[in-house]
Amino acid sequence: MHTRSTLPWAWQLVQRRTRRGLALGLAMAASWTSAGPLPVLANPVPSTIAAEGHGLNDSIGRAPEAASPAPTVVPANIPTDSANPNATPGSTPAQPPAQAPNLSPSPTAAPAELPVKLVLRLRERRVYVYRGDRVEVSYPVAIGKPSTPTPTGTYRVFQMVKNPIWRNPWTGQVTNPGPNSALGLRWIGFMERSNGIIGFHGTPTVNSIGRAASNGCVRMRNEHVVELFEKVQMGTTVVVEP
């Protein structure tokens, strides 16, 4: 009898506790529903972080990093205010005026680079040195006498000799070179004949200069033939006019 009376009492106690637990659970659920939805994180995880393989937990609760300011780029051809303190902020600096094209004519050859030509005028007893179309200098000469005249025509220098040695064609005597030699200090040959060569040469017989006195060659003062020698070269044109 004692066992039967105890079981109902215990069962009643379990039932009472169960009802209390259910009531408490219903009350808590009601309080959660009235409080509203769950809060959302203030700094959601950017999609790029997940895409780059970073852990989601690494960014939770952290403030986003501030982006670095972009550097200021100044074009090389525009001065800054520090270079021009009088410049108006935001204004475009004045550009230098365009340079006018150089319309000067092409440089011509220097006088020393122009070709030299010799013109011997027999009537004038004078040889002219042309550089280009301009007469640079002229010298008095002696030309061939009427029986042995200096030939006219156009020729070219083909012999140039310093301190030439002269051999007398009639006696065979050889004269040492020098100012007293019959050929003087220089020889410039420009025309060849069957009986010899015609050319410019120095002479000690200065009183013949200006006359028709030679055997066909062109006599000059030694100082003049030395100057002429420096102005010509092999191949220089020689024009002999009447």
Side-chain angles (χ1 to χ4, degrees), residues 152-175:
T152 58
T154 301
Y155 311 98
R156 291 187 181 276
V157 173
F158 67 91
Q159 269 188 346
M160 296 180 66
V161 182
K162 292 182 178 181
N163 299 314
I165 298 174
W166 183 67
R167 178 181 175 181
N168 191 314
W170 295 280
T171 65
Q173 182 181 359
V174 175
T175 304

Side-chain angles (χ1 to χ4, degrees), residues 88-177:
T88 303
S91 63
T92 302
Q95 298 295 324
Q99 297 291 332
N102 185 7
L103 301 180
S104 58
S106 301
T108 56
E113 298 175 353
L114 296 174
V116 170
K117 178 178 67 174
L118 303 184
V119 178
L120 174 60
R121 296 191 172 112
L122 299 178
R123 289 192 184 96
E124 298 180 20
R125 315 291 201 260
R126 184 171 288 269
V127 59
Y128 293 84
V129 179
Y130 280 82
R131 193 173 292 277
D133 296 329
R134 184 178 63 87
V135 176
E136 183 176 273
V137 66
S138 68
Y139 305 102
V141 299
I143 62 172
K145 55 185 182 283
S147 59
T148 54
T150 303
T152 58
T154 301
Y155 311 98
R156 291 187 181 276
V157 173
F158 67 91
Q159 269 188 346
M160 296 180 66
V161 182
K162 292 182 178 181
N163 299 314
I165 298 174
W166 183 67
R167 178 181 175 181
N168 191 314
W170 295 280
T171 65
Q173 182 181 359
V174 175
T175 304
N176 291 328

Side-chain angles (χ1 to χ4, degrees), residues 117-118 120 150-158 189-193 198 235-241:
K117 178 178 67 174
L118 303 184
L120 174 60
T150 303
T152 58
T154 301
Y155 311 98
R156 291 187 181 276
V157 173
F158 67 91
F190 62 85
M191 188 266 184
E192 186 172 9
R193 288 175 141 176
I198 303 296
T236 296
T237 299
V238 179
V239 178
V240 182
E241 298 177 350

